[in-house]
Structures are given as structure tokens and as C-alpha cells.
Amino acid sequence: MPGVPRDGFGREIDYLRISVTDHCNLRCVYCMPLTGLALAPTSRFLTAGEIETVARAAVAVGFRKFRLTGGEPTLRPDLLEIVERLGALPGVRDLAMTTNAVRLPELAGPLAAAGLRRVNVHVDSLDPERLARIMRWGTLDEIWRGIEAAEAAGLRPIKVNTVVARGYNEDDVVALAALTRERDWHVRFIETMPLGVREVAALARERLVPNAEVRARVEDALGPLTALAAHDPADEARNYRLAGARGVVGFISPVTEPYCGTCNRMRLTAEGRFHLCLLNDDELDVRRALRAGGGLEAVAAILLRAVRHKPTGHRLDLGLSTERREMYQLGG
Ligand code: SAM
């Protein structure tokens, strides 16, 4: 087995997030505009076979953890094939997926059988009307049934991602955190990042609720949160537990407490470009290499170049942002 690759700053980079599509069946206000979104045709996306080649190359250079995301990964018609191919690769230690759960009632069982280990599901409110206002095309009922299907299929631990946007759902954080009293879920609150097209990025910037405030709201209503030791130094969430609770409350604070110093991630866009940082537009094109006949070695070379050039960090704390069209992934 190769060692874990290190970037120019000594960080071990062993986690690849693979976007399998940039299409989505929801239009969350801080993520996608309702109209005017120019999505890539699916022919531009890497095929299941190409994704497998990239994953094989990643394993060959020392990557161990993989996450499928999007857009909404469950919209990809050959998702089960992708999971089967990646799940069967020796050297893949973890294979997870980030999803809005809408399609999990029919897919959770087959995905688990194909080799998926865990899911992070995205739900911003437990109030049907507020959820519809922020996530727009989804309903709480659909999402909830998806979460239950994931649990029943053994895709555990369930991690719930909640993006908090002022005026939309800052009052919902208490009910969401309270879920962890009865369930062994991880409920993680994510700060809005100014990404995507201009008006969406502007909304995310204006509606930021710092996680210090979210934490105070949770503690005022539910009692103190006790910090948990970090098992994985690269975990982007700071984790806590409510007294007597079964689950975990986590805070992912890319804006007010950037965690770039321990970042171990690299991301692959659906169109086959390695992005060196979630919040940085630097990228290296792997699809061109694959379609020009390059195989595993060519991809491995690009991946190692990408690792070497990974930037130290983003500067969202200074009010900087990357406003661009491509989708991104977080909440791992
Ligand atoms: N469609 C899937 C989902 O909803 O989880 C996967 C892709 S989505 C882009 C991944 C995560 O990013 C979700 O938890 C979502 O809430 C979060 N997200 C999207 N836009 C964000 C933003 N502007 N700031 C912070 N988190 C964001």
C-alpha cells in the first residue's frame, strides 16, 4: 500500500469527493437559483468507468476515503454501478454519499447492497413550511422517509446536514439538535458560504448565522453541550453532546472558524476536473487526459500534481468568495 500523499504544506490528503452530477432535484436558496441555471449536459460528465479509473488512480497514490456527491448524486441513473465499482476496489476504506434523501426510499437498500457504507442527509428544518421555503422543491415528508430508509438499510451513522440561513431557519436549530437526544444521529450545523452564481452567493453572505450563535441558541434551550474529543483530526465538524443524548451535535464553520490547516480533501467535479480546494477555482482537467487515451498512470500523475498544488486555504473570513457556476461539495 502506498503512503498517504502530502501537499506542499505537509497536510495528508487522502479523501476524494466525487461529484457525479451537477443536476439537482431541489433548489435550496443558498445553493442554486430557481431560474437561469446553465447545467452541463450529462454527456460531459465522467462515465462510471472513468470514475472508476480515477478512483483506482487515487487509491494507487494513497487515497483511502471517497464520498459521492453532486448536485444530487441519486439523480445519476448509473449510481448503483458507480457504487459497485468503487465499493469493490481494494484499498477503499470508506465510501459514503451526501444526498438530500428524496430518492432514498427506493435507493437506500440497493445502495447499501452495492457497497455504500454511510450517508449524510441534508435537512434544513423540521417544519414543513419553513423547509419548503428554504429547500424549495423538496418536502419534509419525502426527506424524512428517505432518512428512515437509510437507517433501515444500515447506512449509519446517519449524519444530518443543516445549513442555517438568517430569516429562514435559525429558529429551527433547537428542534434539529433535540433529535440527538433520542437518536444516535450526528446533526451538524453548517455556515452559509458565498458560492455559486452571484445572487445566490450574495444571499449566503447576507444570511450568514455564525455557528457561535447557533450553539448559544441550542444551549439556551436544551442545556450545555459537552465537547467530544476529535477522533479524526481532519473532521470538519467540532462535535458535542447534550447531556444524556445518544447522538452528536456538530458545528461546521468554514466562514468564522476555517479549518483549512487540517483539510484532507480533494474534489472531482462531475465534468472531471480536480478542484484543489472547495473554495478555490484552481483545477486540473482529468477528463481531457482520460479521453485522450491516458489511463491510470496519467490520472495518478494529475492527482499528485493537484495534491502538490493544493492551496493553504480560502479567505472567507476576510469576506472573500468564489462566485462561480460549478457545484461543490461539503458536509462530509
Ligand atoms: N444534493 C446533496 C445534498 O443536498 O446534500 C449533495 C450536494 S450539496 C451541494 C452538499 C451540502 O452542501 C449540503 O449539505 C448543502 O446543504 C450544502 N450547501 C449547499 N450550498 C451551501 C452553501 N452556500 N453554504 C454552505 N453549505 C452549502
Side-chain angles (χ1 to χ4, degrees):
M1 279 283 164
V4 174
R6 284 179 186 270
D7 70 4
F9 304 94
R11 294 173 297 190
E12 293 189 339
I13 314 294
D14 66 350
Y15 185 176
L16 183 61
R17 300 189 184 208
I18 301 175
S19 173
V20 294
T21 178
D22 67 358
H23 299 195
C24 193
N25 46 354
L26 300 187
R27 287 291 180 274
C28 302
V29 289
Y30 46 75
C31 190
M32 282 186 169
L34 269 182
T35 55
L37 192 62
L39 294 169
T42 53
S43 59
R44 295 237 296 263
F45 297 158
L46 293 189
T47 63
E50 287 170 335
I51 292 173
E52 180 188 338
T53 303
V54 174
R56 278 185 187 279
V59 169
V61 303
F63 279 69
R64 298 283 170 265
K65 295 185 239 169
F66 295 83
R67 171 173 298 278
L68 301 177
T69 180
E72 174 48 42
T74 58
L75 295 187
R76 177 102 184 199
D78 54 356
L79 179 64
L80 287 177
E81 181 190 343
I82 295 170
V83 169
E84 262 163 22
R85 285 173 179 262
L86 268 50
L89 290 183
V92 171
R93 263 213 318 256
D94 194 16
L95 181 58
M97 181 173 79
T98 302
T99 172
N100 59 38
V102 169
R103 298 208 59 222
L104 286 187
E106 66 266 30
L107 284 176
L111 281 168
L116 190 72
R117 311 257 180 93
R118 297 178 297 115
V119 283
N120 289 8
V121 293
H122 168 200
V123 48
D124 288 339
S125 174
L126 298 180
D127 176 275
E129 279 171 26
R130 282 203 293 269
L131 179 129
R133 186 166 165 253
I134 190 167
M135 300 179 83
R136 297 196 284 208
W137 294 352
T139 69
L140 180 62
D141 185 49
E142 293 172 309
I143 293 174
W144 200 256
R145 279 190 286 116
I147 299 176
E148 286 178 340
E151 234 188 349
L155 296 170
R156 308 173 65 151
I158 299 283
K159 293 191 181 177
V160 171
N161 288 338
T162 299
V163 180
V164 187
R166 191 163 318 276
Y168 284 93
N169 64 341
E170 73 270 38
D171 293 332
D172 297 273
V173 300
V174 171
L176 283 153
L179 288 173
T180 65
R181 284 180 161 162
E182 307 298 330
R183 302 164 201 262
D184 60 356
W185 297 358
H186 295 218
V187 173
R188 296 123 47 91
F189 298 108
I190 305 176
E191 290 177 342
T192 50
M193 295 188 288
L195 301 166
V197 297
R198 191 171 298 278
E199 69 272 19
V200 173
L203 181 141
R205 197 180 291 111
E206 286 155 15
R207 304 277 178 159
L208 171 73
V209 181
N211 260 337
E213 177 184 330
V214 175
R215 183 176 166 183
R217 283 174 178 269
V218 170
E219 291 196 304
D220 284 352
L222 303 175
L225 285 162
T226 305
L228 302 177
H231 291 302
D232 177 359
D235 187 356
E236 61 205 334
R238 297 271 169 278
N239 293 317
Y240 298 81
R241 202 185 293 280
L242 290 165
R246 294 181 61 206
V248 170
V249 176
F251 297 96
I252 300 178
S253 314
V255 181
T256 62
E257 289 180 59
Y259 37 82
C260 306
T262 55
C263 177
N264 66 343
R265 305 174 184 90
M266 189 71 72
R267 39 192 287 280
L268 179 70
T269 68
E271 294 182 55
R273 292 187 300 267
F274 285 123
H275 269 260
L276 311 190
C277 166
L278 170 64
L279 297 159
N280 191 302
D281 271 344
D282 297 344
E283 59 186 31
L284 290 169
D285 192 338
V286 76
R287 187 186 59 183
R288 199 180 323 141
L290 280 168
R291 296 195 180 169
L296 205 125
E297 277 171 23
V299 178
I302 296 173
L303 191 44
L304 284 177
R305 203 159 76 235
V307 169
R308 273 199 306 276
H309 289 93
K310 190 171 161 61
T312 35
H314 61 75
R315 297 320 315 264
L316 286 179
D317 52 334
L318 298 181
L320 305 185
S321 71
T322 58
E323 289 167 13
R324 59 160 197 272
R325 201 181 60 71
E326 282 96 357
M327 292 305 302
Y328 45 88
Q329 311 110 54
L330 83 171

